Amino acid sequence: MYGTVMNGLSKRGHTEKTLSFLRLMEQGNTKPNIYIYSVVIDAFCKDRNLDAAISILNEMKQKGIPPDIVTYNSLIDGLCKLGQWEKVKTLFSEMVNLNIYPNVRTFSILINGLCKEGKVEDAEEVMKLMVGKGVEPAIITYNAIMDGYCLHGQVDRARRVFDIMIEKCIEPDIFSYSILINGYCKRKNPVEAMNCLVKFLKRD
């Protein structure tokens, strides 16, 4: 019950109330588990309060509750959004040392963060590492790379990624098409933008 309420509060931006529930649980008979702590950490990360999130992480560890992939993904996402890449590397290494291996979400968070900062080539290197580790990119991964290229006026490269996705039998979603259409519009290429729109509307 606590978890459902806290998750709902967190999604509505009520971080302090979420934390209050955690403190209430700590004083009662139902002690918080990894899921509860991860909800609170994610709430602080979404508030861009990474110091508080890491403080909760340390509390968890002191109580003998090891973080999981969900916890690390929230922290890595928060740090990427703040551009704190050294801390991202530290957390990534810590995670792997604990035998918690990055999943498709972890890699997609890193790729998205790099693309938003204009480091699209670095993002492609992360994707290569991802594939090398046996983690197949998902549509969210491809969309992040495409968006990164379009943000920096390289719509032709974004289209190449789009075509690769189709070759791999990954069906582009509405975001994939929107990214390309927006990219073509910014490059003042309404013909290609319209072609993409028509292609999207003709999908089965």
Side-chain angles (χ1 to χ4, degrees):
M1 184 190 76
Y2 276 106
T4 305
V5 173
M6 289 170 71
N7 196 33
L9 287 169
S10 169
K11 285 180 178 175
R12 287 169 178 78
H14 300 303
T15 303
E16 289 306 318
K17 287 182 181 177
T18 308
L19 179 62
S20 296
F21 268 98
L22 171 66
R23 298 307 181 211
L24 190 65
M25 286 185 74
E26 287 172 339
Q27 293 166 14
N29 293 325
T30 308
K31 298 301 179 187
N33 57 17
I34 177 62
Y35 173 76
I36 297 294
Y37 278 107
S38 292
V39 167
V40 177
I41 286 170
D42 189 58
F44 277 122
C45 288
K46 284 186 168 64
D47 274 357
R48 302 172 81 89
N49 189 347
L50 269 296
D51 289 340
I54 288 169
S55 176
I56 297 291
L57 175 70
N58 291 333
E59 276 185 36
M60 264 176 66
K61 291 175 181 176
Q62 286 166 8
K63 290 176 180 175
I65 301 171
D68 63 8
I69 188 67
V70 175
T71 322
Y72 279 108
N73 282 348
S74 293
L75 288 162
I76 288 169
D77 188 38
L79 291 168
C80 283
K81 283 172 180 168
L82 293 176
Q84 296 184 12
W85 295 103
E86 286 306 314
K87 288 184 179 179
V88 169
K89 287 178 187 175
T90 302
L91 267 186
F92 197 86
S93 298
E94 179 185 302
M95 184 174 80
V96 173
N97 288 338
L98 290 170
N99 293 321
I100 300 170
Y101 294 102
N103 59 15
V104 66
R105 171 126 179 88
T106 319
F107 282 114
S108 297
I109 287 166
L110 287 171
I111 287 166
N112 188 53
L114 288 165
C115 287
K116 288 285 189 288
E117 289 204 358
K119 301 173 180 175
V120 190
E121 285 77 14
D122 290 343
E124 286 209 332
E125 287 303 313
V126 171
M127 187 184 272
K128 286 176 188 173
L129 173 67
M130 178 182 185
V131 173
K133 295 286 183 184
V135 181
E136 278 301 312
I139 192 153
I140 187 174
T141 324
Y142 287 105
N143 284 350
I145 296 269
M146 285 171 57
D147 194 38
Y149 278 130
C150 285
L151 283 172
H152 296 89
Q154 296 176 299
V155 69
D156 292 339
R157 287 192 171 192
R159 182 55 187 255
R160 193 178 71 220
V161 174
F162 182 89
D163 292 338
I164 289 169
M165 191 162 52
I166 292 171
E167 286 169 15
K168 289 182 175 285
C169 299
I170 296 171
E171 181 70 25
D173 62 10
I174 188 169
F175 297 107
S176 316
Y177 283 97
S178 296
I179 289 164
L180 266 189
I181 291 166
N182 191 41
Y184 281 124
C185 287
K186 283 182 177 176
R187 291 298 302 274
K188 303 193 185 322
N189 190 341
V191 174
E192 282 300 334
M194 187 58 70
N195 286 342
C196 281
L197 180 59
V198 170
K199 191 173 181 180
F200 171 71
L201 294 173
K202 284 184 174 177
R203 292 190 316 164
D204 293 333

